[in-house]
Structures are given as C-alpha cells and as structure tokens.
Amino acid sequence: MQHRALAAIPLLVYLGFAGAVASTLYKEHADGYSPATIPSALISKHHPKVALPSIDGFKTGGLSDAVLNDKLTVVNVFASWCVPCRPEHPYLMRLAKDPRVSMVAINYKDAPENAVSFLDAYGNPFIATGSDATGQASMEWGVDGVPETFIVDRCGAIVFKQVGPIDEQVLDTKIRPLLDQSLATSSVTPDRLAGMRHNWSKS
C-alpha cells in the first residue's frame, strides 16, 4: 500500500504543475492576465533616489536624480548577458527616436567591457547609463530580473512597469499610449493626475 502511495507522488506533482499552467493560460485568455505585467509596489510613488556612475570605458554619463527631473523618462534595466535583452533592443532604439521621451538605463550586474561591447554592437538608445555592479540600486526599484522597464512621469512618479522584454505589441499597445497620456497630463490638476496614475497602475 505504501509503495503505491509513493509511486503516485510523481503523478500528483505533474497534475499540480499542469493545473497551474492551465490556470495561467485561462487567466491570460479570459482576463488579459500576463506574468510580464506584474504590478510594482512603487507604481504611483516617486522613483527611488539614484546615483550610479557611468559604465567604465563608455562615453555616456552616469544616472542620477537630475537626469530624471522634469522629464518623461523610460528607464530600462538591462545586461549584456541577458538573452531577452537582445531581441528587445531594436524596440528601445525605435522608442529613443521619440523626441518627447528621455531614454536612460541601469546596467545590472555586468562586466563594464561586456556592457560597452553590447551597446557598441546593438546601438545606444540611452542619454545616460548607470552601472549597478552590485544590483543594490535595481533592488530598490523592485527589479526581479532583466530586462525590466519603467516609465517615470515629469513629477518623478513611476507610472508603469514592464517585466520582461518589450516587443512590438507591448510598445504599440501599452507603452506608446501611456506616454501619450502622461504627456497630456501637464495641464491637469494634481487630483486628476493622481486618479489617472491609479488607473494606469491597474492596466
């Protein structure tokens, strides 16, 4: 009897895993749920203070609070060793062509020479790139892995977090519309702006 119970354990584990996958797929289909849009505890809050040096050997300056002040900013967290960062990069290059937006980056736990080679090879869409060699700054932003992308509005509040790579769908259906909305808030009242941020955090 005990032997049969032990033999059934792998089957139960498999059924549990299959059930979790099926539940996720159902939520994606029925509710638009996606693990790539995990909400951040920092949504609608002011971005963490940042003071990161530039990548050694690279011409772009480091990342500081002053770079983020009074600008609509896209903050991308990347690394040269990050496989999904490569197919994502062309979409960052496209986004950098929008003159209304500042593109900056946090280089996560990377060797400087590898980060420089990555940006030399794929292009540099960033006006500032901070080197986060220990990962501490990224942790303060709530980063769980790379790539991740944040949108910071002109008031310094984080209004969007993308977990995982940006692709054409994310760029066209989420990021661009949100950038347009954020730019349109320059003339709204603080109360209305707070309400709009609340709606963005649920999208």
Side-chain angles (χ1 to χ4, degrees):
M1 190 70 178
Q2 184 178 7
H3 176 73
R4 289 182 179 179
L6 292 174
I9 290 177
L11 177 60
L12 294 174
V13 171
Y14 171 78
L15 290 174
F17 176 76
V21 172
S23 176
T24 298
L25 292 175
Y26 174 79
K27 289 170 71 177
E28 289 179 346
H29 175 73
D31 304 323
Y33 166 83
S34 171
T37 55
I38 299 171
S40 170
L42 295 177
I43 294 294
S44 297
K45 297 181 180 179
H46 198 277
H47 68 80
K49 290 184 179 298
V50 58
L52 293 172
S54 60
I55 301 172
D56 288 344
F58 199 61
K59 55 185 176 294
T60 302
L63 187 58
S64 66
D65 288 343
V67 176
L68 302 177
N69 287 345
D70 303 319
K71 303 180 185 73
L72 182 60
T73 308
V74 175
V75 182
N76 179 253
V77 186
F78 81 99
S80 65
W81 47 261
C82 162
V83 174
C85 292
R86 287 171 170 76
E88 174 187 63
H89 207 73
Y91 298 101
L92 300 179
M93 295 294 290
R94 283 170 52 182
L95 189 56
K97 294 179 180 179
D98 189 334
R100 306 171 302 169
V101 179
S102 294
M103 294 281 294
V104 303
I106 296 175
N107 183 228
Y108 179 76
K109 291 186 176 181
D110 211 353
E113 62 274 18
N114 293 340
V116 171
S117 296
F118 179 93
L119 292 173
D120 282 344
Y122 294 99
N124 179 23
F126 310 118
I127 64 168
T129 306
S131 175
D132 186 16
T134 66
Q136 180 61 40
S138 300
M139 186 181 301
E140 293 173 0
W141 280 72
V143 172
D144 296 314
V146 287
E148 291 192 12
T149 303
F150 301 83
I151 296 177
V152 179
D153 70 13
R154 288 170 169 171
C155 297
I158 295 174
V159 296
F160 177 79
K161 176 182 179 179
Q162 168 70 19
V163 177
I166 294 171
D167 56 20
E168 187 167 5
Q169 181 180 10
V170 171
L171 182 61
D172 292 341
T173 66
K174 294 182 180 180
I175 292 180
R176 288 197 188 280
L178 184 55
L179 292 174
D180 291 340
Q181 285 181 302
S182 188
L183 285 164
T185 64
S186 58
S187 60
V188 302
T189 65
D191 288 343
R192 185 182 173 197
L193 179 57
M196 295 177 76
R197 287 177 182 159
H198 177 68
N199 291 334
W200 294 335
S201 68
K202 297 190 297 183
S203 61

